[in-house]
Amino acid sequence: MIEIRDLDKRYGDFHVLKRCSTSVAKGEVVVVCGPSGSGKSTLIKCVNGLEPFDSGTITVDGISVGDRRTDLPKLRARIGMVFQNFELYPHMTVTRNICLAQEKVLGRSRDEAEAKAASLLARVGLSDQAHKHPGQLSGGQQQRVAIARALAMDPIAMLFDEPTSALDPEMISEVLDVMVELAQEGMTMMVVTHEMGFARKVAGRVVFMDCGEIVEDADTASFFGSPRSPRAQAFLSKILDHV
Amino acid sequence: MSFDLGVILDALPFLAQGLGLSLLLTVLAAAGGIVLAVLLALMRLSGFRALRLVSAAYVNFFRSMPLILVIFWFFFLVPLIIGRPVGGFYSALIAFTLFEAAYYSEIVRAGIQSVSKGQVAAAYATGMRYGATMRFVVLPQAFRNMTPVLLTQAIILFQDTSLVFVVSLRDFMTASTIVARNEGRLVEMYVFAAAVYFVICFSGSMWVRRLQRKHAT
Ligand SMILES: Nc1ncnc2c1ncn2[C@@H]1O[C@H](COP(=O)(O)OP(=O)(O)OP(=O)(O)O)[C@@H](O)[C@H]1O
Ligand SMILES: [Mg+2]
């Protein structure tokens, strides 16, 4: 579903991504982890073309992201994305947040969009918040709305960039539960996260990044069982001790 | 010399007409100026160098001109362009609109930049294009942030409408001057005019302050 080949990107002199290659098969969940500044966000933003890249290729469902002829907005409409800081539209109600792109991009009628919003809000357990503004919700609730907003577009894959790291600890599980359920329903997911419990539970593979390189790309069991690289070992022991 | 309020009372309808013109010019020029300013700001922030240059040139040009010159200019220029006289009102309206747009565009630009990049990324990530992202996500938030500054600028514009006397329009200030001269009552009229300007502009800025407080919470 998602194929990344020899992806390379620089910010001026700074080499953020160094020939990164990995893939996410249809229905697979891949977790991306690594220290701060290792390029995880940059990598995931390249997948839907929010960040341009210098060389290499990315294809999503066979469509080349870097190709100038690709209609990027059209492709993005089919890939859901969830951000660390939620990025809900603060001037709109929860329902309008979920309806906007359905109406403006997919051309759904208002009724259709609102019906979809209602069913997604029920699914993430927020039916009673439909008419509130994002500022009136807790972080965990906002992130669940953001997931609903992405799902409203009926995406073929979902990208998550540290969806729980801006949350208070007690709200992390309510977001992870939604993500686990999504994974179990067979959604193709690429998830930047340090929630190793989530990775163990649903990830098929774990990708470990450091200094712009993909250092380790292994199935979940072997990643946690015996990480090959010393850098991944060090990272894992730090993060698992921490929890 | 006694202070004669009767002069003011007698002249009220005439003064009210002047005030109406001042307010009408302010509202129309502010509205038109803001629309044009949004266009200029988007050009200034666009990825196309040519658009950025045109917008910057426009803004720098009008910001280096005295308003009174711009008013004169359009009074004589517009008839030449369209081949018939348009009268003081329309030429003044065009001059104010174009002039204010230069100032508003800097405010709008700051307003757009005050909306986080993450908001744009979120809209793009759902497949929205530039136009829809600006219209439904960025500009509404930008306007919410910049309304107080835009209103403050509109208050300045209201004061500046007194310049239209140069094209023989009777705004409030001009009307007051006419009455003052005709009746020989300069003190009364100018005190009254000052009071009216003060009340309008001061209530305007109170309103701005209230908006700012509301916005801050
Ligand atoms: N626009 C930019 N210009 C220059 N450098 C940038 C830019 N964006 C990111 N970087 C740098 O690129 C590196 C990778 O950033 P990225 O956000 O991808 O890291 P990350 O792995 O997501 O880190 P974190 O865990 O902190 O989110 C960082 O060192 C960052 O400072
Ligand atoms: Mg990041």
Side-chain angles (χ1 to χ4, degrees):
Chain A
M1 177 69 68
I2 301 172
E3 290 285 339
I4 302 173
R5 284 283 154 264
D6 296 326
L7 189 68
D8 218 88
K9 177 177 173 72
R10 288 166 198 270
Y11 286 117
D13 290 341
F14 183 66
H15 207 166
V16 237
L17 296 176
K18 301 170 187 160
R19 295 180 70 89
C20 295
S21 299
T22 187
S23 63
V24 186
K26 192 170 183 329
E28 190 181 23
V29 177
V30 170
V31 159
V32 180
C33 61
S36 183
S38 55
K40 308 176 298 289
S41 297
T42 308
L43 176 73
I44 205 163
K45 282 182 186 148
C46 285
V47 172
N48 66 354
L50 283 181
E51 282 283 353
F53 46 89
D54 300 328
S55 63
T57 56
I58 301 179
T59 59
V60 179
D61 195 29
I63 298 166
S64 170
V65 177
D67 190 331
R68 295 174 64 103
R69 286 161 302 182
T70 298
D71 185 351
L72 267 184
K74 204 167 156 188
L75 179 61
R76 288 188 191 123
R78 302 168 63 209
I79 308 170
M81 185 159 202
V82 175
F83 300 84
Q84 181 170 354
N85 296 314
F86 329 131
E87 302 298 352
L88 295 178
Y89 312 130
H91 57 301
M92 294 180 192
T93 63
V94 163
T95 297
R96 293 311 305 156
N97 262 277
I98 302 175
C99 290
L100 184 67
Q102 293 189 66
E103 292 169 19
K104 304 303 168 197
V105 176
L106 302 180
R108 288 181 185 153
S109 72
R110 200 173 174 122
D111 287 346
E112 223 178 328
E114 287 184 354
K116 180 99 188 172
S119 80
L120 284 166
L121 282 175
R123 175 168 169 187
V124 298
L126 291 171
S127 297
D128 46 341
Q129 313 291 332
H131 299 294
K132 290 195 179 157
H133 279 78
Q136 298 167 282
L137 305 185
S138 73
Q141 291 173 324
Q142 290 191 52
Q143 196 59 298
R144 285 185 281 155
V145 173
I147 294 173
R149 175 174 70 181
L151 291 176
M153 305 297 285
D154 297 319
I156 54 170
M158 287 281 286
L159 310 173
F160 294 83
D161 188 5
E162 305 207 35
T164 57
S165 48
L167 298 177
D168 292 334
E170 70 271 17
M171 291 169 187
I172 291 178
S173 65
E174 67 191 55
V175 172
L176 288 180
D177 287 348
V178 171
M179 291 168 61
V180 166
E181 202 181 294
L182 203 55
Q184 285 165 350
E185 284 166 13
M187 176 61 79
T188 306
M189 292 162 68
M190 187 165 172
V191 185
V192 176
T193 186
H194 291 159
E195 294 295 333
M196 291 301 135
F198 172 81
R200 276 216 174 89
K201 200 161 178 181
V202 294
R205 286 196 353 266
V206 178
V207 170
F208 173 73
M209 289 183 77
D210 191 20
C211 300
E213 282 175 299
I214 291 184
V215 178
E216 193 129 346
D217 184 344
D219 64 85
T220 307
S222 43
F223 180 79
F224 285 110
S226 52
R228 277 176 297 127
S229 68
R231 281 190 278 181
Q233 283 166 11
F235 176 78
L236 259 185
S237 66
K238 203 149 87 193
I239 203 165
L240 292 179
D241 279 350
H242 190 72
V243 178
Chain B
M1 185 174 138
S2 65
F3 202 88
D4 181 6
L5 284 176
V7 155
I8 296 169
L9 287 179
D10 290 342
L12 268 187
F14 182 70
L15 292 172
Q17 257 182 14
L19 188 58
L21 178 79
S22 295
L23 290 172
L24 184 66
L25 264 179
T26 304
V27 170
L28 292 181
I34 288 172
V35 171
L36 190 54
V38 169
L39 205 70
L40 287 167
L42 291 177
M43 285 167 68
R44 190 70 182 265
L45 295 171
S46 89
F48 299 100
R49 203 173 126 80
L51 291 181
R52 284 202 303 273
L53 286 178
V54 169
S55 170
Y58 179 100
V59 171
N60 289 329
F61 175 77
F62 277 101
R63 282 166 59 120
S64 342
M65 289 292 136
L67 175 53
I68 196 161
L69 182 60
V70 179
I71 296 170
F72 257 134
W73 219 48
F74 277 93
F75 187 64
F76 295 111
L77 193 72
V78 173
L80 286 184
I81 293 174
I82 66 171
R84 62 186 175 82
V86 289
F89 181 77
Y90 287 106
S91 68
L93 181 59
I94 293 170
F96 275 114
T97 303
L98 297 183
F99 187 83
E100 288 302 314
Y103 285 84
Y104 279 137
S105 80
E106 297 291 292
I107 300 172
V108 175
R109 178 160 71 126
I112 290 174
Q113 284 173 323
S114 74
V115 179
S116 79
K117 291 222 161 54
Q119 288 282 302
V120 177
Y124 281 169
T126 57
M128 284 166 64
R129 292 169 196 274
Y130 173 81
T133 300
M134 281 298 155
R135 184 162 156 219
F136 299 108
V137 176
V138 177
L139 287 175
Q141 295 184 62
F143 270 100
R144 210 175 54 169
N145 295 344
M146 68 201 180
T147 304
V149 196
L150 287 176
L151 281 175
T152 304
Q153 183 67 28
I155 293 170
I156 299 172
L157 167 62
F158 173 69
Q159 294 163 357
D160 286 346
T161 55
S162 59
L163 292 174
V164 295
F165 76 90
V166 299
V167 292
S168 317
L169 281 181
R170 275 195 218 129
D171 74 299
F172 179 65
M173 189 62 220
T174 311
S176 308
T177 306
I178 291 171
V179 175
R181 295 230 174 102
N182 288 351
E183 308 289 330
R185 287 289 176 181
L186 299 180
V187 177
E188 285 87 344
M189 279 321 298
Y190 287 137
V191 168
F192 177 70
V196 169
Y197 274 112
F198 178 78
V199 166
I200 292 177
C201 296
F202 187 70
S203 13
S205 28
M206 293 298 280
W207 185 31
V208 169
R209 224 167 296 162
R210 230 187 48 206
L211 280 177
Q212 274 167 332
R213 260 206 309 275
K214 207 171 100 190
H215 189 235
T217 54

